[in-house]
Amino acid sequence: MNKICKVVFCAVAFLFPLLFSGCSDLLNDKWEDSADKLANAMGTDFNPTPPTTCSDTVSGTLSSSSSYVIYRFYAYAGTTYNVSWTSSNGVSFYYGYSATDINSYLSSYYSNTISTSSDKYVYIKVSQTSSYSKSYSMTVSCVNKSFSLYKWEEKTENSHTVSNTISNSDGYIIYKFYSSYAAKYNVSWTNSDGAKMSVSAGNYSDYESYFSATTTSGRDISVDSYNTVYIKVMPADSSSVGTFSLTVTETSSSYSVDISVYKTYNISSGGSYVELSVGDSWTDGEITSDTQSIIYRFPASAYKTYYVYWKKSTLSMMKVYYNIGSDDFSSYTSYETSSPCYIYNSSSDGYVYLKVEPYYSGNTGTFKIRVTNSYQYNY
């Protein structure tokens, strides 16, 4: 018994200084030192990795009531993102999962959280209603998931920047804006994700009467009268797909610039669809054969109602089918012939697909189509 007591006493006498030293270091915030000493003393691995806070901060100034900025970041499922900011009075912050459907209000200055059930992009819109200049600074943070805030769209008093991604080499996007009388504009663009875009601008459907270029140095154009200017963006070659930003700035009299999508073709890797944005802009379509059909799609949030409107120009009658989450219309026998078509997305976030075809055999012509998230009385 005496021998056992002596052994225990010696062990305690040996371990006590080490444990005391480790605890002393803990009290002195020497975390790594103390962890090593405790590990040596206890004969076990005691080196936990502290969590890493990832964050990104953006700031800017909103010059007028029509000004806004949309930022985008990629969010991972199950991760909570905290949004905080400082700003002048009258600046508002909203978020959503599509650049054209941002209506969830962030109400607190200090602690707003965003989380998703699947990996997806999150868009945050910063806007104001005052005619005076307003400043802001916003920080988004999370734990152990690196990300970056990307300026996806920006509207100022005389400039408009939009962004998009073209994933197919034969895809393209045609934008349009209405010019003021005898105005001058600068058109510039930037590329990312390995993209190299070819950009051209013109009147009507030539898209090249002003310029056609692949270098991003920017181009100046002069418009003699009120007109619609069309800008076509497409990959310069088969290996140049990716993301780009396009900016149009009025340089003569600070007239307002509003860019909208006129037409898209095959920009997504998912298939040959014409992409529709949820908003007030009309997209032009044309049926050139009575056997032809056009498939559109638009991003839809879960548990929301959308309204599809169309106008027949030279096409006398048309059928509009819709399907949520799939472009397979092989088993569909029902369709709509009168606008608007009401669509309630009762499933998860995703795409709604629309199929447009002539109603009568031998019928061809032009039409317009758009999608909104609110009912329009006059369209």
Side-chain angles (χ1 to χ4, degrees):
M1 178 63 72
N2 290 336
K3 289 181 179 180
I4 294 174
C5 291
K6 287 180 180 179
V7 170
V8 172
F9 177 80
C10 290
V12 171
F14 175 75
L15 292 173
F16 182 76
L18 294 174
L19 291 171
F20 180 80
S21 175
C23 293
S24 175
D25 288 341
L26 281 171
L27 293 173
N28 290 319
D29 292 327
K30 296 181 179 178
W31 170 258
E32 294 182 359
D33 244 8
S34 21
D36 289 340
K37 290 177 181 178
L38 285 172
N40 291 333
M42 297 178 179
T44 184
D45 185 10
F46 189 68
N47 287 293
T49 302
T52 301
T53 299
C54 303
S55 66
D56 197 9
T57 300
V58 292
S59 59
T61 300
L62 303 174
S63 59
S64 68
S65 59
S66 62
S67 301
Y68 63 83
V69 183
I70 297 175
Y71 295 96
R72 185 179 86 161
F73 69 93
Y74 195 73
Y76 294 92
T79 300
T80 299
Y81 295 85
N82 185 73
V83 184
S84 59
W85 64 83
T86 58
S87 67
S88 306
N89 290 333
V91 178
S92 300
F93 295 78
Y94 296 82
Y95 78 93
Y97 304 112
S98 166
T100 58
D101 190 13
I102 306 174
N103 51 29
S104 296
Y105 182 54
L106 295 168
S107 58
S108 172
Y109 280 90
Y110 304 106
S111 181
N112 297 271
T113 58
I114 300 173
S115 59
T116 65
S117 58
S118 60
D119 297 350
K120 64 178 66 178
Y121 284 107
V122 174
Y123 298 82
I124 299 178
K125 183 176 182 178
V126 187
S127 60
Q128 62 127 330
T129 57
S130 171
S131 58
Y132 300 100
S133 179
K134 302 285 186 178
S135 60
Y136 66 91
S137 177
M138 178 181 69
T139 298
V140 179
S141 61
C142 69
V143 175
N144 291 341
K145 294 289 187 180
S146 60
F147 68 95
S148 297
L149 289 169
Y150 181 84
K151 186 181 290 186
W152 189 250
E153 183 174 349
E154 182 175 21
K155 180 76 166 63
T156 67
E157 196 169 9
N158 66 323
S159 180
H160 195 179
T161 298
V162 294
S163 304
N164 217 318
T165 300
I166 299 179
S167 301
N168 295 318
S169 59
D170 64 339
Y172 61 81
I173 302 175
I174 299 174
Y175 295 95
K176 69 177 181 180
F177 69 92
Y178 297 104
S179 65
S180 298
Y181 182 79
K184 296 181 179 180
Y185 298 88
N186 178 266
V187 181
S188 61
W189 59 98
T190 59
N191 300 313
S192 59
D193 300 334
K196 182 180 180 182
M197 294 296 159
S198 172
V199 178
S200 59
N203 291 326
Y204 307 109
S205 60
D206 60 3
Y207 310 129
E208 295 185 359
S209 58
Y210 289 123
F211 70 85
S212 178
T214 56
T215 57
T216 59
S217 56
R219 298 293 187 274
D220 293 319
I221 62 175
S222 298
V223 183
D224 295 331
S225 60
Y226 296 107
N227 214 330
T228 303
V229 177
Y230 297 90
I231 302 174
K232 185 176 183 178
V233 182
M234 60 186 300
D237 53 58
S238 60
S239 61
S240 298
V241 298
T243 300
F244 66 91
S245 291
L246 173 73
T247 300
V248 177
T249 304
E250 202 284 325
T251 59
S252 55
S253 302
S254 296
Y255 293 125
S256 176
V257 179
D258 291 287
I259 305 174
S260 62
V261 175
Y262 171 66
K263 185 184 297 185
T264 66
Y265 173 75
N266 204 21
I267 67 173
S268 170
S269 57
S272 298
Y273 314 116
V274 177
E275 307 283 344
L276 293 176
S277 298
V278 179
D280 295 329
S281 298
W282 290 93
T283 295
D284 294 283
E286 182 176 10
I287 298 292
T288 58
S289 167
D290 62 351
T291 61
Q292 178 192 1
S293 64
I294 302 175
I295 296 180
Y296 298 89
R297 75 173 188 177
F298 64 89
S301 300
Y303 312 115
K304 287 192 175 181
T305 300
Y306 296 88
Y307 304 84
V308 180
Y309 295 87
W310 59 89
K311 294 179 179 179
K312 300 180 289 292
S313 299
T314 61
L315 184 65
S316 62
M317 186 67 76
M318 52 194 276
K319 303 176 185 178
V320 178
Y321 304 81
Y322 75 87
N323 198 359
I324 299 174
S326 172
D327 63 349
D328 183 7
F329 293 92
S330 58
S331 61
Y332 270 61
T333 57
S334 61
Y335 52 82
E336 301 287 341
T337 58
S338 60
S339 175
C341 170
Y342 304 86
I343 301 174
Y344 176 67
N345 181 21
S346 60
S347 58
S348 58
D349 296 348
Y351 282 96
V352 172
Y353 295 84
L354 307 170
K355 180 182 178 182
V356 177
E357 63 181 28
Y359 184 82
Y360 296 111
S361 176
N363 191 207
T364 60
T366 58
F367 61 93
K368 296 177 181 289
I369 189 168
R370 73 172 178 178
V371 180
T372 69
N373 53 20
S374 61
Y375 183 78
Q376 308 290 311
Y377 289 97
N378 298 308
Y379 64 91

